[in-house]
Amino acid sequence: MVASVDNQTQTKVSERLIEQLRQQSHENFDVEDLRVQVGRSVVLGRMASGEYREHISAEQADEIATAIQQPVTEGADVEAYARKLPNIEIKSGETIVFRQERDGVISANVFQAEQQSQSEALSSNPVTAPSEPSAPELEGDALMESAVRAESLVASVREISNPLDHEVSEPVATRLGEYMLQVESDSATVLKEDAVVLAAKDGAIISNLSEPDTQALQGWLQRGDGIFEPWAVPIQQPASQVSEPPPAIAIAQEQIAALPEGRGKQFFQRLSADLKQQANEVFSAIRQGLESEQLGVLRQKVGTVMQEAPEKATVALGRGLETAGQWITSSPDAIKNAMDSLQSAAEQTGGGIEKSGQWLAARPEAIREHRAMQTAMKLFEAGFRRTHEKSFEVGGFKVEFEGGQQLRLSDAQSDETLMRFQQTASPFPGHLPRLEVIEKGDISREQYQSLNAVGQRGEPVRGSQDAETLHARKSEQIAQLSKGLAEAMGSTDYRGKHYRIELGEDTLRISANDGRGELYHREGNQVVSNQFEQKDFGRFAQVIQKLEQQQATHTPNTQVELD
Amino acid sequence: MSMTTMSSKPPDIENWNLSQSAIELLRRYPEIAADLAIERQKLPFPAGYRPDLIEILYEDLVYVRSEQGRITFLRDCPRNYIPPFMEIRFDDQLAMFVIQGEMVVDHTEQMAALDELLGRLEP
């Protein structure tokens, strides 16, 4: 149910604000000329269409009244915000008299008199986008470097679109900023405003990216990847008793709770829980800072704020948590300053630190872990199918079965455990089984990448020496048998129910009909490839048995199907 | 580029599967409706995306900012404030827009699907 405001109340709110603005500015604002914009919308003032808007809410009016008390933020790069939506913008005619950006920076404020000249410079001339430099002519090494970058971008596009490297049966189309990403099993494309700027298909890459676009795209793609260094809060006292989040976050949680059930809702619930914890840490730290010896450091860092609003600061010191919260909101930098000072103080005194509210931050690592488990599982299964053993080494890694559904992934050389994990059935019927980390060692990014590469190479996972010797012997048996059978049929291309045998002059090729393709290839005496699995040995063993039975009972040479 | 260009034809909000009160709210805020009409056409974020900047906005004002896992801005408000609409932005892109429990735009479907697969959505 949307809260509705009656016209009288609305007018009062608008009038009150206009009066406040008038008083603050010492000028007579022509009310007709005034336009107040909050975010996207004009909430007060005359529209181009002639309509006079009076949408402004009491909350918004309150915020504006508070915001105009703040001076222009020192060192603010006004140009950087030119094309962005403001938090609040007040215009008198064509002149911007007040502007607060979304990140809290005040970029214009005539109500703080000495900043008058700066605000005049901000009169709203239409901002033309700087013309995009055309892709420069590249030569030699620069071309090579550009090609490498394009390749790396394509890899990142694939990775951010399909992080677990699953089979892409349908195109995956997504968007980051101005760029649209499209990934299919054999191609990847990046579009900007409907024009293809990067395309890769079957190994060939075409890049139409300008340097600014390359950097912008790189910036976006890296956001699937980077490591946050969350604030570390000094632990000096038992964990803060605060369970009630700040109102803004509590309200968000309420709004999210009202959503229909589903994973969208769950996602935002986890996200808001993150924010609640992060806010908790801020308040906890501020309170500890206020109550501890580090107060001196804190005072130094947030000196300006305390000078400007000593009353608030005193109250904060006296009353602690809640008021500190209000004090924080009046100056965005105060939080950063306070936390940084506390963190460095904690590090200096060797105090313990705790981190929380990092569910979102943990995404990239969770993805890397899952891929590693997936790959380790895949390698183990490939090895197991081949020799039915419990431990395999491939590409510098070792994967061992430890019982139950538990596997251990380790460095083959040092035997250092990288990860211990297990596979469990998913709670959702029809879904892939769940992979859960039980124990995790120190895995570097290089090791993750190396493991991925091993998984993608698809080379056979060999077992122990003894197992391989046995494997070779059984394979030889099958080769002989197959050759004999095909020759008995008088065929150089025998197609049975499960296998296909191709005989060349000096070559032998055995393939499976179940989608695995070529299993065995011999040229002369040289075995070129051998992917036989234990189940193949089982099947051929049955065939051998049948043949032996036939021989024993002297039955005529009937066609023996290679079942 | 987040400036809204007003097209001459108003967006087709009647066909957005919203309640009557939500539709009325959007009629009162045509700039927002126009922006949402564009946003609804946009593709979702890629599954592997992890934003640096999270913002929560009520009535188009930023109330919460979290940058790289840290709260950097919190606006105070009365605990009983009921915003008529809420927006969450990732790196200055619209991630979701909700009107009193009705989701109007949600660009996080691929991310949420991945988190579900990874078992990260369980409490």
Side-chain angles (χ1 to χ4, degrees):
Chain A
M1 194 194 66
V2 175
S4 59
V5 181
D6 66 87
N7 283 338
Q8 231 187 3
T9 318
Q10 184 71 81
T11 315
K12 282 205 179 105
V13 169
S14 327
E15 282 176 356
R16 202 170 353 122
L17 179 67
I18 294 172
E19 192 47 44
Q20 277 171 317
L21 294 176
R22 212 175 258 149
Q23 282 177 4
Q24 292 277 330
S25 75
H26 315 293
E27 277 177 32
N28 240 344
F29 275 135
D30 183 353
V31 168
E32 285 299 304
D33 223 18
L34 197 67
R35 260 163 67 127
V36 180
Q37 183 176 330
V38 172
R40 285 171 273 235
S41 316
V42 172
V43 293
L44 182 64
R46 179 84 48 196
M47 305 286 292
S49 60
E51 174 204 348
Y52 187 79
R53 280 267 184 91
E54 260 192 312
H55 278 177
I56 189 162
S57 71
E59 263 304 305
Q60 289 169 335
D62 255 347
E63 283 317 321
I64 294 170
T66 312
I68 58 176
Q69 310 294 336
Q70 295 175 53
V72 172
T73 309
E74 257 180 65
D77 179 9
V78 172
E79 280 310 303
Y81 299 105
R83 289 170 71 188
K84 295 198 169 183
L85 279 175
N87 222 15
I88 300 165
E89 186 180 86
I90 304 176
K91 275 187 178 170
S92 176
E94 286 305 303
T95 315
I96 297 175
V97 298
F98 176 82
R99 191 176 155 110
Q100 182 189 53
E101 307 297 340
R102 279 214 159 135
D103 59 7
V105 162
I106 308 288
S107 49
N109 193 351
V110 299
F111 303 103
Q112 303 295 312
E114 48 287 16
Q115 309 302 327
Q116 183 99 18
S117 51
Q118 227 177 345
S119 71
E120 275 164 14
L122 255 194
S123 57
S124 55
N125 294 316
V127 178
T128 49
S131 54
E132 289 262 319
S134 54
E137 292 298 319
L138 295 171
E139 297 191 26
D141 280 345
L143 261 174
M144 186 63 158
E145 196 190 290
S146 159
V148 168
R149 277 169 100 190
E151 212 174 296
S152 147
L153 279 173
V154 168
S156 299
V157 166
R158 296 195 75 93
E159 196 164 318
I160 205 172
S161 308
N162 181 16
L164 298 185
D165 201 23
H166 285 169
E167 279 295 311
V168 180
S169 48
E170 280 170 19
V172 176
T174 56
R175 164 194 257 277
L176 276 176
E178 307 170 277
Y179 304 97
M180 279 179 284
L181 317 177
Q182 223 161 282
V183 167
E184 299 184 58
S185 55
D186 60 350
S187 68
T189 319
V190 179
L191 296 104
K192 182 180 172 188
E193 284 160 23
D194 293 332
V196 175
V197 289
L198 181 65
K201 191 168 165 76
D202 296 328
I205 299 178
I206 302 173
S207 169
N208 210 13
L209 283 166
S210 64
E211 185 55 36
D213 269 331
T214 304
Q215 294 195 6
L217 188 57
Q218 248 166 1
W220 279 118
L221 295 171
Q222 270 158 18
R223 278 172 242 218
D225 206 40
I227 312 242
F228 287 168
E229 260 318 307
W231 268 326
V233 174
I235 303 175
Q236 292 163 301
Q237 302 167 4
S240 164
Q241 289 84 14
V242 174
S243 54
E244 196 46 45
I249 294 178
I251 289 165
Q253 289 184 312
E254 272 170 10
Q255 293 273 315
I256 291 163
L259 288 169
E261 292 306 315
R263 58 185 180 216
K265 175 175 176 173
Q266 287 175 304
F267 179 86
F268 286 109
Q269 278 174 326
R270 292 306 300 260
L271 187 64
S272 56
D274 248 8
L275 296 173
K276 174 183 165 179
Q277 282 179 309
Q278 289 171 26
N280 201 26
E281 293 311 323
V282 171
F283 288 132
S284 173
I286 297 286
R287 192 173 75 174
Q288 288 179 29
L290 292 171
E291 293 169 2
S292 78
E293 300 147 22
Q294 281 136 14
L295 179 61
V297 177
L298 193 69
R299 267 193 177 132
Q300 217 176 350
K301 291 284 182 176
V302 301
T304 19
V305 177
M306 290 184 99
Q307 274 165 35
E308 282 167 23
E311 193 187 10
K312 278 189 174 170
T314 316
V315 171
L317 286 171
R319 282 215 257 132
L321 197 65
E322 288 153 20
T323 347
Q326 289 165 16
W327 165 58
I328 286 166
T329 63
S330 69
S331 173
D333 279 344
I335 300 182
K336 275 195 183 137
N337 293 339
M339 295 301 287
D340 283 347
S341 71
L342 279 169
Q343 179 158 345
S344 49
E347 281 162 9
Q348 279 163 28
T349 59
I353 52 179
E354 64 178 293
K355 302 178 184 185
S356 70
Q358 302 303 315
W359 175 80
L360 187 74
R363 268 191 125 239
E365 188 63 17
I367 289 169
R368 281 189 285 267
E369 279 172 12
H370 191 96
R371 266 191 88 151
M373 290 189 282
Q374 234 178 224
T375 305
M377 199 81 201
K378 182 176 125 176
L379 293 171
F380 176 79
E381 283 170 350
F384 184 77
R385 285 194 299 267
R386 186 182 168 86
T387 61
H388 274 188
E389 288 177 291
K390 286 191 198 169
S391 167
F392 302 95
E393 272 185 39
V394 57
F397 296 96
K398 183 162 137 188
V399 196
E400 318 160 57
F401 177 67
E402 288 187 324
Q405 294 273 19
Q406 195 165 304
L407 285 182
R408 176 177 170 255
L409 172 74
S410 53
D411 181 290
Q413 224 181 9
S414 67
D415 200 36
E416 202 186 306
T417 300
L418 298 173
M419 214 188 265
R420 235 185 203 104
F421 65 96
Q422 68 180 9
Q423 180 172 273
T424 54
S426 163
F428 304 101
H431 279 222
L432 292 170
R434 210 36 90 60
L435 293 168
E436 262 171 62
V437 178
I438 295 170
E439 186 193 317
K440 192 168 147 192
D442 258 325
I443 319 183
S444 70
R445 298 290 294 280
E446 289 74 33
Q447 280 174 309
Y448 275 124
Q449 279 163 3
S450 172
L451 183 60
N452 282 345
V454 171
Q456 280 169 346
R457 273 205 294 270
E459 59 189 64
V461 179
R462 299 189 186 283
S464 65
Q465 193 146 354
D466 287 344
E468 285 296 320
T469 308
L470 186 59
H471 188 276
R473 200 164 0 111
K474 287 185 177 176
S475 304
E476 178 60 32
Q477 259 187 322
I478 295 181
Q480 294 300 342
L481 178 67
S482 305
K483 187 159 179 266
L485 273 169
E487 281 167 350
M489 300 298 170
S491 166
T492 52
D493 190 353
Y494 170 81
R495 291 171 199 242
K497 190 163 135 197
H498 294 289
Y499 300 100
R500 177 184 178 185
I501 305 169
E502 291 161 87
L503 274 180
E505 204 175 280
D506 210 14
T507 65
L508 171 65
R509 227 187 275 264
I510 303 171
S511 318
N513 296 338
D514 59 8
R516 287 180 291 155
E518 182 179 288
L519 296 179
Y520 185 86
H521 179 193
R522 193 174 71 187
E523 300 268 337
N525 281 336
Q526 182 83 354
V527 175
V528 172
S529 79
N530 182 349
Q531 316 256 41
F532 278 133
E533 295 178 1
Q534 291 295 310
K535 71 178 176 192
D536 301 311
F537 296 148
R539 287 211 185 106
F540 277 98
Q542 287 177 339
V543 170
I544 291 169
Q545 208 176 29
K546 274 196 190 139
L547 280 173
E548 285 171 351
Q549 280 174 345
Q550 281 191 340
Q551 282 181 354
T553 58
H554 299 292
T555 44
N557 199 8
T558 47
Q559 198 167 3
V560 178
E561 264 268 342
L562 258 182
D563 268 349
Chain B
M1 171 77 155
S2 30
M3 300 299 279
T4 312
T5 43
M6 291 278 287
S7 57
S8 51
K9 201 175 101 171
D12 189 16
I13 57 184
E14 283 81 13
N15 289 327
W16 289 4
N17 277 331
L18 297 173
S19 69
Q20 204 45 45
S21 59
I23 292 175
E24 272 160 27
L25 180 128
L26 289 174
R27 288 212 186 102
R28 286 184 69 216
Y29 293 92
E31 295 96 335
I32 296 180
D35 202 24
L36 292 180
I38 297 170
E39 289 291 337
R40 281 167 68 93
Q41 302 301 319
K42 286 186 184 171
L43 295 165
F45 300 133
Y49 175 47
R50 196 272 312 266
D52 280 347
L53 170 66
I54 316 268
E55 291 170 298
I56 303 185
L57 295 90
Y58 304 131
E59 294 187 270
D60 256 355
L61 274 178
V62 177
Y63 275 78
V64 182
R65 262 177 91 93
S66 169
E67 292 174 74
Q68 304 207 325
R70 316 174 173 189
I71 294 274
T72 54
F73 184 72
L74 265 178
R75 195 187 290 274
D76 200 19
C77 61
R79 181 60 186 87
N80 59 2
Y81 170 43
I82 303 178
F85 54 91
M86 172 175 87
E87 179 179 342
I88 298 184
R89 295 180 77 81
F90 288 173
D91 295 325
D92 204 21
Q93 308 166 98
L94 189 142
M96 74 98 109
F97 191 99
V98 61
I99 300 176
Q100 299 282 303
E102 289 179 69
M103 192 75 103
V104 184
V105 183
D106 181 4
H107 286 151
T108 64
E109 33 190 276
Q110 302 239 352
M111 294 171 72
L114 178 64
D115 279 322
E116 184 180 60
L117 189 73
L118 296 177
R120 281 166 40 93
L121 292 185
E122 280 143 37

